[in-house]
């Protein structure tokens, strides 16, 4: 039977789990496609419980300096992470921060209690938990682009080899009777974590050595490309044979589900082809107790005060466990204090953007609501989205997209004209920054000219968080590396007054069919009027602090 101090250690480690689990569940509620990650948590818990019940007697660890450092560093990181999390909505950076801090504390505790042998017993369930976390944007964006490129290239080559007429423009394959747009979902980015987690789980069940397990996971990546390319190829053949309607709706979903199941099956077959770790048979000496069958549960022996241990070893082990308990208790107290301080200076106010209130008619402009595809809502996951077409008395027309996320944590991926339009086969001919004069300030907008063959489109675009309009440098940085993490230093080094930090993206486009100077003049007037009415609905987003709408 385990000593009370060891049980308290486990209890204190368990009480620290909600610091990263609750924000993670909140994030799953925002990004619903991550909800299936709960299965990873359940599987890790079952494996950890099994390892715990089958834990053999453990020798007293001689490690002292390394576990102590890990406990101190983990406790500090956990306190700082909780302080930040209390101020803002869940973000991938904080989820990794909190989980890493908890993991460091667990590693320090295991090393101090039982050394490397005890850590090896729980290495897999602890590492398996990493699959439950969202991919950082700095990894997800280039991985998504690479998967889209490989999937589009492979599908285009195969369809062309099969005799179908294919013309590729960016991530779009133009066939004779339909177009195949390889968007984010079709790239395989959403199945990367699931397929890798299945591969790791199967490698564990088959007792594959570490190198072969890593090899299995590496081979899973090209398998994802093959599966998604196969989905595009089948969709193209079906579309050309029975029409575009045959690959829409629930048929499209069924095909995607079938390919995912096929991918899992291929991973399983590949796992069976890899040899597992050899287990040499050892004959039991005479007089030894009978072996324990796999279905039996080994007795849970205390790692220190097991039967036959001398009194000094038992006392030393109990004292060590008691010391870890005190350390974890201090960490718990400091973390609670950090949460209280962070909550007291919470720096975000939930922003609201009633976009439906944007006038249909204003000045010389008349609008009409346009349909929004469910795939766009699923891809962008916004709180509010508006799609309209406006025109004036001179015949100019503009397509308008206004997208609102109540928090930066709601934003999934990165969507920008410099990314999306080239993927559709367009080339950016011109780009410049311009200033629109508003009633109480100025608005910085980027103007772009895109071309595809004889077609010309002018696009005006801006993105902002709160009152801050992103510069071109900030847009490029987010495009390459993901969202900035400057907010971490802002929250740590000085206290900011509470403010709404919603993200607002405005996209306005029109075909260039008349004299450009006349079109630009009319467009600038339309943009200024549109921005004024938008900021009447969202005063928290006005680019100056002196906004007053009455």
């Amino acid at each position: 039977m385990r000593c009370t101090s060891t049980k308290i250690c486990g209890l204190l480690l368990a009480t620290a789990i909600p610091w990263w689990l609750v924000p993670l569940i909140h994030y799953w509620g925002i990004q619903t496609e991550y909800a299936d990650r709960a299965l990873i948590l359940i599987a890790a818990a079952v494996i950890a419980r099994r390892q715990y019940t089958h834990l053999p007697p453990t020798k007293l660890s001689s490690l002292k300096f390394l576990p102590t450092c890990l406990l101190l560093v983990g406790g500090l990181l956990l306190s700082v992470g909780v302080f930040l999390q209390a101020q803002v909505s869940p973000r991938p950076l904080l989820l990794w921060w909190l989980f890493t801090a908890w993991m460091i504390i667990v590693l320090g505790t295991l090393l101090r209690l039982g050394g490397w042998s005890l850590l090896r017993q729980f290495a897999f369930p602890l590492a398996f938990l990493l699959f439950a976390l969202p991919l950082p944007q700095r990894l997800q964006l280039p991985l998504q682009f690479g998967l889209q490129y490989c999937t589009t290239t492979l599908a285009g080559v195969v369809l062309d080899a099969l005799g179908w007429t294919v013309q590729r423009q960016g991530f779009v394959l133009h066939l004779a009777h339909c177009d195949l747009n390889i968007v984010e979902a079709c790239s395989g980015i959403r199945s990367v974590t699931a397929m890798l987690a299945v591969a790791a789980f199967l490698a564990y069940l088959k007792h594959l050595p570490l190198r072969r397990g890593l090899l299995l996971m590496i081979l899973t990546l090209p398998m994802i490309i093959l599966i998604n390319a196969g989905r595009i190829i089948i969709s193209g053949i079906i579309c050309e044979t029975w029409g575009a309607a045959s690959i829409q709706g629930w048929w499209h979903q069924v095909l995607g589900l079938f390919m995912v199941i096929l991918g899992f099956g291929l991973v399983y077959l590949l796992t069976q082809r890899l040899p597992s770790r050899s287990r040499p048979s050892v004959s039991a000496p005479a007089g030894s107790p009978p072996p324990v069958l796999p279905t039996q549960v080994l007795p849970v022996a205390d790692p220190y005060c097991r039967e036959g241990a001398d009194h000094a070893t038992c006392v030393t082990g109990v004292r060590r466990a008691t010391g870890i308990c005190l350390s974890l208790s201090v960490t718990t107290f400091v973390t609670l204090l950090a949460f209280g301080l962070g909550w007291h200076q919470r720096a975000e106010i939930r922003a609201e953007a009633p976009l439906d209130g944007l006038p249909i008619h204003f000045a010389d402009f008349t609008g009409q609501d346009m349909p929004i595809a469910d795939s766009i809502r699923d891809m962008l996951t916004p709180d509010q989205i508006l799609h309209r077409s406006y025109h004036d008395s001179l015949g100019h027309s503009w397509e308008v997209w206004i997208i609102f996320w109540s928090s930066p944590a709601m934003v999934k991926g990165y969507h920008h004209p410099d990314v999306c339009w080239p993927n559709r086969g367009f080339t950016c001919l011109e780009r410049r920054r311009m200033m629109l004069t508003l009633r109480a300030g100025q608005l910085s907008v980027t103007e772009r000219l895109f071309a595809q063959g004889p077609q010309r489109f002018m696009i005006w675009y801006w993105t902002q968080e709160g009152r801050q309009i992103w510069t071109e440098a900030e847009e490029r940085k987010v495009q390459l590396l993901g969202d900035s993490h400057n907010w971490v230093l802002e929250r740590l080094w000085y206290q900011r007054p509470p403010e709404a930090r919603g993200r607002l993206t405005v996209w306005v486009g029109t075909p260039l069919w008349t004299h450009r100077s006349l079109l630009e003049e009319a467009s600038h007037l339309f943009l200024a009027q549109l921005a004024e009415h938008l900021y009447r609905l969202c005063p928290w987003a006005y680019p100056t602090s002196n906004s007053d709408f009455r």
Side-chain angles (χ1 to χ4, degrees):
M1 184 175 182
R2 299 188 181 277
C3 66
T4 304
S5 299
T6 308
K7 294 180 180 178
I8 295 177
C9 286
L11 179 62
L12 291 173
L13 290 176
T15 56
I17 292 178
W19 291 122
W20 60 266
L21 182 57
V22 172
L24 183 61
I25 294 176
H26 186 189
Y27 187 84
W28 290 345
I30 297 173
Q31 307 285 2
T32 54
E33 70 273 13
Y34 289 102
D36 57 354
R37 308 290 177 89
L39 297 175
I40 295 176
L41 299 182
I42 295 174
V46 171
I47 295 173
R49 177 62 182 175
R50 180 179 179 278
Q51 294 295 97
Y52 179 81
T53 55
H54 291 72
L55 190 64
T58 306
K59 295 181 180 181
L60 194 63
S61 172
S62 59
L63 296 174
K64 183 176 182 181
F65 178 76
L66 179 59
T68 302
C69 292
L70 291 176
L71 289 172
L72 292 176
V73 172
L76 178 62
L77 288 177
L78 183 63
S79 301
V80 175
V82 168
F83 174 77
L84 293 172
Q85 181 58 60
Q87 301 182 54
V88 298
S89 54
R91 304 184 183 186
L93 173 65
L94 280 180
L95 296 178
W96 280 89
W97 185 320
L98 293 170
F99 179 81
T100 302
W102 177 81
M103 179 76 77
I104 292 174
I105 294 175
V106 172
L107 295 180
T109 302
L110 293 177
L111 288 176
R112 186 60 175 151
L113 289 177
W116 297 106
S117 60
L118 182 61
L119 177 59
R120 280 192 291 270
Q121 297 292 326
F122 295 95
F124 179 80
L126 290 175
F128 193 64
L129 287 172
L130 294 172
F131 291 109
L133 299 175
L135 283 175
Q137 281 193 344
R138 301 194 178 194
L139 177 61
Q140 179 176 343
L141 294 179
L143 179 59
Q144 174 184 320
F145 179 84
L147 289 173
Q148 281 182 286
Y149 179 83
C150 295
T151 300
T152 307
T153 302
L154 182 59
V157 170
V158 173
L159 285 172
D160 183 69
L162 293 176
W164 303 97
T165 302
V166 182
Q167 182 182 2
R168 175 182 175 181
Q169 289 182 328
F171 294 149
V172 180
L173 298 178
H174 299 281
L175 302 178
H177 300 93
C178 66
D179 295 335
L180 301 176
N181 188 8
I182 291 78
V183 296
E184 173 191 351
C186 298
S187 68
I189 187 66
R190 299 184 183 181
S191 59
V192 168
T193 303
M195 295 281 283
L196 290 178
V198 169
F201 188 72
L202 292 176
Y204 170 78
L205 292 181
K206 200 184 177 185
H207 304 286
L208 292 181
L210 178 60
R211 291 182 179 179
R212 292 172 186 166
L214 293 177
L215 176 62
L216 176 64
M217 296 178 66
I218 293 174
L219 294 177
T220 302
L221 292 176
M223 195 176 300
I224 294 173
I225 298 175
L226 292 175
I227 290 297
N228 285 279
R231 178 183 180 182
I232 301 300
I233 294 168
I234 295 174
S235 297
I237 295 175
I238 294 176
C239 177
E240 290 295 285
T241 305
W242 291 287
S246 59
I247 60 171
Q248 297 176 358
W250 67 275
W251 283 103
H252 183 75
Q253 302 297 329
V254 169
L255 178 60
L257 179 61
F258 172 77
M259 299 305 291
V260 170
I261 296 175
L262 177 62
F264 290 156
L266 291 177
V267 172
Y268 175 78
L269 292 177
L270 183 59
T271 306
Q272 299 305 311
R273 299 293 299 177
L274 295 176
S276 60
R277 183 187 294 110
S278 59
R279 295 183 175 183
S281 58
V282 179
S283 57
S288 60
V292 180
L293 297 177
T295 56
Q296 294 177 310
V297 178
L298 290 172
V300 181
D302 185 84
Y304 323 112
C305 302
R306 59 191 186 278
E307 185 178 355
D310 60 272
H311 179 72
T313 302
C314 179
V315 172
T316 302
V318 172
R319 288 178 178 176
R320 182 170 298 182
T322 304
I324 297 177
C325 287
L326 293 176
S327 176
L328 295 177
S329 300
V330 173
T331 299
T332 302
F333 174 77
V334 174
T335 303
L336 289 172
L337 181 62
F339 177 79
L341 293 175
W343 185 265
H344 179 69
Q345 60 182 49
R346 190 170 178 82
E348 281 189 359
I349 299 176
R350 183 176 177 85
E352 299 291 344
L355 300 181
D356 292 340
L358 191 70
I360 293 288
H361 307 280
F362 56 85
D364 188 35
F365 308 102
T366 302
Q368 179 182 3
D369 287 326
M370 303 291 289
I372 303 173
D374 292 337
S375 59
I376 294 180
R377 295 184 183 273
D378 295 338
M379 179 175 62
L380 301 177
T381 63
D383 289 87
Q384 295 285 333
I385 185 170
L386 180 140
H387 182 204
R388 282 185 185 169
S389 174
Y390 282 90
H391 66 273
D392 63 6
S393 58
L394 298 178
H396 300 115
S397 63
W398 298 270
E399 183 182 3
V400 177
W401 287 87
I402 303 177
I403 309 170
F404 165 72
W405 297 268
S406 61
S407 168
M410 301 284 291
V411 183
K412 180 171 61 178
Y414 182 66
H415 306 278
H416 189 278
D418 288 343
V419 177
C420 300
W421 278 66
N423 291 346
R424 295 165 55 187
F426 286 84
T427 302
C428 184
L429 301 181
E430 297 179 18
R431 180 192 299 108
R432 72 184 182 95
R433 176 73 65 170
M434 54 171 290
M435 302 299 295
L436 291 177
T437 301
L438 304 181
R439 187 180 64 177
Q442 288 188 320
L443 174 63
S444 176
V445 180
T446 305
E447 181 181 272
R448 292 171 172 83
L449 176 63
F450 283 94
Q452 186 185 61
Q455 302 180 73
R456 297 291 187 272
F457 287 89
M458 296 199 69
I459 294 176
W460 293 268
Y461 175 88
W462 77 88
T463 294
Q464 61 186 97
E465 283 192 9
R467 300 181 185 275
Q468 180 184 359
I469 307 293
W470 283 7
T471 64
E472 286 191 75
E474 290 172 331
E475 289 180 354
R476 284 194 298 268
K477 184 176 180 180
V478 172
Q479 179 179 340
L480 294 174
L481 302 176
D483 287 335
S484 171
H485 300 320
N486 294 335
W487 58 270
V488 175
L489 296 179
E490 293 176 358
R491 302 294 190 266
L492 289 177
W493 295 114
Y494 63 90
Q495 182 177 355
R496 299 180 57 176
E499 59 180 354
R501 299 290 291 177
R503 181 175 295 183
L504 197 63
T505 293
V506 180
W507 182 99
V508 178
T510 182
L512 180 59
W513 56 269
T514 182
H515 295 291
R516 180 171 176 176
S517 59
L518 297 178
L519 179 61
E520 286 184 340
E521 182 179 355
S523 298
H524 296 170
L525 177 60
F526 170 72
L527 287 169
Q529 291 287 334
L530 177 70
E532 289 286 2
H533 287 281
L534 176 62
Y535 291 136
R536 288 180 184 274
L537 299 175
C538 310
W540 53 267
Y542 204 94
T544 127
S545 59
N546 298 323
S547 58
D548 182 19
F549 298 106
R550 290 180 296 215

